[in-house]
Amino acid sequence: MNKPIVKNTEQIEIGHSACPHDCPSTCALDVEIIDGKHIGRLRGSKDNDYTDGVICAKVARYAERVHHPDRLLKPLKRKGKKAGGEWQDISWSDALDEIAEAFIAAEKRYGSETVWPYFYAGTMGLVQRDSIERLRHAKRYSGFFGSICVHPAWTGYSAGTGAIKGPDPREMAKSDCVVIWGTNPVSTQINVMTHAMKARKQRGAKIVAIDIYQNDTMKQADLALCLRPGTDGALACAVMHILFRDGLADWDYLNKFSDKPKELEQHLQKKTPEWAAKITGLAVEEIEEFASLIGKTNRTYFRLGYGFTRSRNGAANMHAASCIATVSGAWQYEGGGAFHGNSAIFKIDSGLVKGASMCDPTIRNLEQTRIGAVLTGEKDALHGGPPVTAMLVQNTNPASVAPHQSKVLEGLAREDLFLAVHEQFMTDTAKFADIVLPATMFMEHDDLYRGGGHQYIIHGPKLVDGPELCRPNLYVIEELAKRLGIADKPGFGMDANELIDKVLQTSKRGSLEEMSQNKWLDCQPSFEEAHYLTGFNWPDGKFHLAADWSNVPDQRPPENLGLQGAFADMPQFPDHWDVVEKADDEHPFRLTTSPARSFLNSTFNNTKSSTQKEGAPLVMIHPDDAKSLNIAEGDWVRLVNQRGAVTLYAGLRDAMQPGVVIAEGIWANSAYKDGRGINQLTSDAPIAPHGGAAFHDTHVRIEKV
C-alpha cells in the first residue's frame, strides 16, 4: 500500500486490486481504504497502461455495494415453502453439515451425478471462481459446460485465426480508424473508448460503431451504422464485395496469409451493397462509405464484441466480420487487424485449482444455459443420467440471468431439489435456496485475475476484513471437502495465496512474491505473433476464409455434448446465415436484451445509485410502431411469445429500426410488475456449433396493458 494520507480526520490508504466482474476490461484498481476497515472511492490505476486511470462509474461507487444495508451477513436456513421468504439463523458449521449430508443422501439414492455444482463469472478470480471444479472432479459430480457467454464469439473468431488472440488492444490508440462492432464500450468496457478516443485526439482517427440501436457508443462515433439484429454477416459480405470490386483488397497479403481468397471473391460476387441493404436496413450509401473508409485506411482496428454473436447465427457473423481485416490486409499494420479477446496468450496452468487430474471423462456434462430443462427433467438435457437433486451455486444468479426463465423457476421450486447458494445478497436464485451462505467481496479475499480484453495478469490481494460471518468461495469448498471425505485429494488443504503461488510458478509466470511487488504482469506477445505475421494458428499458417466449423479449436463442447445447433448448415464462406428467430404475424417484433450502463448482468441492480440512474424496466419501441399500436410514452405493455410474458414500461425511441425493440437489463425479477424477468422470453436453444445463448435473437408481440 501507499503512504497513508489524512482527509477529514480519516486515515486513508490506497490498496491495489483488480475488478473481478465479467467484463473484458478487468480494470487495475486503486482502492481507498478508510481507517484500515472500510472501502472508499475506487479509481482506475494510472500506472496500468490499459486501464489508464479510467473505470466505469458503477465500479467507482463500489463502496455502496460493499457496505450495502441488504448485504447477507449470516448463514440462513429455509423455513416453510421454497421462495416463501421465511428464514432462520444457522451457524456456519451446521449449515455446512447440512449441505454435506444432503449431497451424501442424494448420492446414495441416485449416484454422484445427481449433484450439480453450478457457477459462473460473478468473480473472474482464478482461485475463488474455479475451486468448485476441484470439488466436482474429486466427487465425480455432474460436469458443467459453461455455455452462457463466450462460445459463439470465440468460435467465430477462432474459425479464422485458429486462436483467441490478436493485435495489442493498446494499439487502438495508434489506429487511423477504430471499428467498434457489436459492443457498447461506453457502457460495458470503458477502456476501449479510452484508447479509441486517444486515436481520435492524437491522430484524427475515425471511430465507426456498428450496433442495433443508437446507444452511448454510437452517439460518439463518426460513422454509426444501425442495422437489424442478426444481419452483421450481410454487412461484412457487402464490405468485402466492395473491397474486391474497387481494387482495395490486398492481394499480396491474401495470397500469402489466407486459404481461399479467389474462391471468396467469387462467392461474394452477388453480395452487393444493394443485397445487404435489403437485409440490414442500412442505406447503400452507408455501406459504400464504410467500405471505402476501411479500404483506404491501412491502420483499421476492428474491435469485435460479444453482442452481435448472441444470435443463432452469431458465430458465423463473428467469422464474417473478422474476415474483413484479412481482405484489406489490416493485420500487417500497427493499429490494424481484428481483435476479440486474448485468452490464448496467458498460458496459465490452473489444473491444480480445478482438480484436473481427478477429472473422469465418463461423467456426464450438463449445460449451463439449459438449467431450466435440466431441473425440469427433460431427458435430452439430462443426457440419460439421473435427475439433479442437489446443487451448490456460486458466482451466478440463474433465476434471473438464464434463458427460458419459466422453466428455470419451475425447476428451482422443486421440493425434492436441495439447493445451497453462496451469495452476497438475497438474489432471485438465493430466494429458492434451502441454505444461504454469506460471501465475501473481492477486496475481502485473495485472488488472481487475467484480462479478457487486454494482456495483463493482475493480483487481487485481500485489502480489508469482510463482515464477521462472510466467507470466501474457497472456504466453502475446503470445508465441504472435509465433510465429504476428500480433503486429502490434490489441491485441497491449500489457502488462496498458496494456490496463487503454485499456479504462477507452474505456469512459469513468476511467483506470488513477484506479483505482489509488481501488481500485474504484462503477457503481450511480440508484434509479429500478435498480428499473425509468423502465420495464423492453423497447420497451414493461413487465415481461414473458408471455415471448417467441425474443427474450430476454442471452447469445444465436451464429447458427450458434441457439436450443437444447426451446425451442419453453417456457411463455409462468410454469408448472411438466415436462421434467426424471425418475426411473424403472431410475433411481429425482434427483441434484444442489451446491457444497461449501470448494471453488469444482475450485479448492481440492487444498489441505489444504479437503479436510480436506470429508472425502471423499460422497452424501447420505435415511434412508428408505437403509433400503430396506440402506445404512448410510459404506458404499460406486455411482451409475449411462446416461452412467456413480461410487463414493463414503454419508452418511445427512434434509436433503432422499426420492428426492433430493446429492453436493457438485467433487472431483478421483482422489479417487473408481474415479478417475471426479461429472460421469460429468451430461448435456451444452443447456438451452432459450440453452444451459447441467443439472448439478442427473440421474437415477440406487444400488447398494451
Side-chain angles (χ1 to χ4, degrees):
M1 293 184 189
N2 294 346
K3 184 178 179 181
I5 58 175
V6 176
K7 186 190 298 183
N8 298 329
T9 74
E10 294 176 333
Q11 182 171 281
I12 298 179
E13 296 177 290
I14 303 300
H16 305 290
S17 190
C19 181
H21 290 288
D22 189 9
C23 166
S25 286
T26 318
C27 292
L29 301 176
D30 292 340
V31 182
E32 288 186 349
I33 304 168
I34 302 171
D35 293 335
K37 300 177 182 178
H38 303 292
I39 296 300
R41 184 80 177 177
L42 274 65
R43 296 178 176 84
S45 173
K46 292 182 180 179
D47 296 333
N48 183 286
D49 58 4
Y50 183 77
T51 300
D52 202 22
V54 179
I55 59 171
C56 66
K58 53 186 172 283
V59 172
R61 302 189 300 267
Y62 214 89
E64 183 181 11
R65 180 173 170 80
V66 174
H67 305 302
H68 197 293
D70 294 337
R71 185 170 174 184
L72 290 170
L73 297 175
K74 55 188 177 181
L76 300 170
K77 180 179 179 179
R78 172 168 67 96
K79 290 172 60 179
K81 65 178 184 180
K82 283 208 170 187
E86 293 186 77
W87 304 95
Q88 65 187 38
D89 295 352
I90 186 173
S91 71
W92 262 101
S93 180
D94 288 346
L96 291 163
D97 286 346
E98 291 209 14
I99 296 170
E101 288 165 7
F103 283 12
I104 291 168
E107 185 175 353
K108 284 182 179 178
R109 184 174 183 188
Y110 290 109
S112 64
E113 290 180 330
T114 194
V115 182
W116 192 24
Y118 190 98
F119 76 107
Y120 207 55
T123 176
M124 296 292 281
L126 301 183
V127 171
Q128 304 294 349
R129 181 191 65 191
D130 293 340
S131 287
I132 194 172
E133 293 276 46
R134 189 165 70 257
L135 179 73
R136 176 199 318 284
H137 294 321
K139 285 295 297 176
R140 304 177 78 249
Y141 293 151
S142 279
F144 178 85
F145 177 50
S147 56
I148 206 167
C149 184
V150 303
H151 293 271
W154 286 21
T155 300
Y157 184 85
S158 62
T161 62
I164 304 299
K165 63 181 180 181
D168 187 334
R170 295 168 294 195
E171 287 183 29
M172 279 184 283
K174 301 177 181 179
S175 297
D176 294 323
C177 177
V178 180
V179 180
I180 300 171
W181 197 324
T183 182
N184 178 14
V186 169
S187 295
T188 61
Q189 42 179 317
I190 190 66
N191 310 97
V192 169
M193 290 307 295
T194 299
H195 296 285
M197 288 300 209
K198 276 186 184 179
R200 173 186 278 172
K201 291 176 182 177
Q202 297 173 6
R203 303 179 58 83
K206 299 295 185 183
I207 297 176
V208 180
I210 303 169
D211 217 313
I212 57 170
Y213 71 119
Q214 295 292 339
N215 53 44
D216 290 335
T217 302
M218 295 276 274
K219 293 172 185 175
Q220 296 197 33
D222 298 290
L223 177 61
L225 302 179
C226 184
L227 39 63
R228 295 180 183 127
T231 64
D232 304 80
L235 173 60
C237 286
V239 168
M240 290 185 284
H241 169 96
I242 294 168
L243 296 178
F244 282 119
R245 182 198 70 191
D246 293 352
L248 298 172
D250 188 332
W251 278 104
D252 289 341
Y253 182 83
L254 282 165
N255 288 329
K256 183 176 180 180
F257 284 103
S258 72
D259 61 342
K260 297 182 179 180
K262 292 190 180 299
E263 291 90 333
L264 176 65
E265 182 187 30
Q266 181 64 34
H267 168 74
L268 295 173
Q269 286 284 320
K270 297 181 180 180
K271 311 299 183 184
T272 64
E274 291 76 13
W275 166 83
K278 292 177 182 178
I279 296 169
T280 62
L282 296 170
V284 170
E285 293 76 16
E286 291 179 293
I287 300 171
E288 292 276 5
E289 180 184 1
F290 177 41
S292 178
L293 176 62
I294 290 169
K296 296 174 182 178
T297 310
N298 289 335
R299 292 176 181 246
T300 296
Y301 194 106
F302 291 83
R303 184 57 176 87
L304 305 174
Y306 285 98
F308 76 115
T309 70
R310 303 198 196 287
S311 177
R312 287 165 177 80
N313 58 6
N317 288 341
M318 172 63 85
H319 175 247
S322 70
C323 287
I324 300 174
T326 304
V327 174
S328 71
W331 296 99
Q332 304 166 81
Y333 305 102
E334 186 177 34
F339 179 86
H340 171 67
N342 247 344
S343 66
I345 73 170
F346 296 106
K347 299 179 174 61
I348 296 176
D349 182 354
S350 54
L352 183 66
V353 174
K354 295 179 179 180
S357 65
M358 298 178 283
C359 178
D360 182 347
T362 67
I363 297 295
R364 70 174 175 183
N365 286 278
L366 302 176
E367 288 185 74
Q368 177 190 22
T369 50
R370 301 206 66 203
I371 180 175
V374 168
L375 294 184
T376 54
E378 294 186 18
K379 290 185 178 180
D380 67 320
L382 291 170
H383 299 286
V388 169
T389 61
M391 295 180 71
L392 168 64
V393 174
Q394 290 183 322
N395 313 324
T396 189
N397 181 16
S400 178
V401 305
H404 210 142
Q405 186 182 100
S406 59
K407 280 188 184 180
V408 179
L409 300 184
E410 178 187 347
L412 291 173
R414 283 171 36 209
E415 284 294 337
D416 68 327
L417 172 68
F418 176 84
L419 178 65
V421 176
H422 187 203
E423 254 296 355
Q424 297 161 349
F425 294 94
M426 187 60 72
T427 62
D428 288 314
T429 304
K431 291 174 183 177
F432 285 90
D434 298 280
I435 299 288
V436 176
L437 303 172
T440 49
M441 295 192 187
F442 73 95
M443 315 91 157
E444 300 163 354
H445 56 240
D446 297 293
D447 218 330
L448 186 69
Y449 306 88
R450 69 176 195 186
H454 58 75
Q455 59 288 311
Y456 283 105
I457 300 171
I458 306 179
H459 184 217
K462 179 180 177 179
L463 300 178
V464 295
D465 290 330
E468 181 182 1
L469 293 179
C470 293
R471 300 285 186 270
N473 290 354
L474 182 60
Y475 174 86
V476 173
I477 301 307
E478 286 290 329
E479 290 299 313
L480 287 177
K482 294 173 186 175
R483 289 163 171 80
L484 294 168
I486 55 171
D488 59 340
K489 300 291 185 181
F492 292 103
M494 302 173 72
D495 66 24
N497 281 330
E498 289 173 320
L499 286 167
I500 291 169
D501 190 52
K502 191 70 173 177
V503 166
L504 289 170
Q505 293 200 43
T506 303
S507 307
K508 296 181 172 54
R509 292 298 189 183
S511 66
L512 175 59
E513 181 179 0
E514 294 170 307
M515 185 66 73
S516 298
Q517 293 173 352
N518 299 324
K519 299 186 289 189
W520 49 70
L521 176 67
D522 188 339
C523 300
Q524 181 63 38
S526 68
F527 177 88
E528 289 74 17
E529 181 182 344
H531 286 254
Y532 296 101
L533 298 182
T534 55
F536 287 88
N537 203 50
W538 292 106
D540 61 6
K542 308 286 189 179
F543 183 98
H544 283 194
L545 300 166
D548 178 2
W549 295 109
S550 64
N551 190 37
V552 177
D554 280 292
Q555 298 298 297
R556 185 184 300 278
E559 280 191 21
N560 72 303
L561 297 179
L563 296 176
Q564 301 182 321
F567 64 89
D569 299 326
M570 294 187 74
Q572 182 185 34
F573 287 105
D575 211 330
H576 172 57
W577 190 34
D578 193 14
V579 293
V580 299
E581 186 168 79
K582 296 179 178 64
D584 55 30
D585 291 342
E586 189 174 355
H587 310 97
F589 297 94
R590 296 287 311 286
L591 165 72
T592 74
T593 57
S594 304
R597 185 168 186 172
S598 300
F599 302 157
L600 202 168
N601 300 323
S602 66
T603 306
F604 302 103
N605 68 13
N606 64 335
T607 52
K608 186 176 181 180
S609 63
S610 291
T611 55
Q612 284 179 339
K613 287 179 181 295
E614 296 301 327
L618 176 144
V619 59
M620 303 180 198
I621 305 173
H622 194 280
D624 293 348
D625 294 327
K627 184 177 180 180
S628 69
L629 295 168
N630 193 30
I631 291 170
E633 178 77 23
D635 281 351
W636 286 105
V637 297
R638 183 179 295 114
L639 306 184
V640 185
N641 65 17
Q642 67 273 29
R643 290 176 288 271
V646 177
T647 303
L648 63 179
Y649 287 108
L652 276 55
R653 309 284 188 272
D654 61 358
M656 57 278 172
Q657 296 192 27
V660 178
V661 293
I662 312 288
E664 292 184 331
I666 300 172
W667 288 85
N669 296 345
S670 58
Y672 294 84
K673 185 175 182 179
D674 51 13
R676 294 191 294 242
I678 197 67
N679 278 314
Q680 286 276 329
L681 303 168
T682 55
S683 171
D684 65 355
I687 295 173
H690 288 178
F695 287 113
H696 302 337
D697 186 0
T698 303
H699 65 200
V700 296
R701 68 176 180 270
I702 304 174
E703 300 173 351
K704 185 175 178 179
V705 178

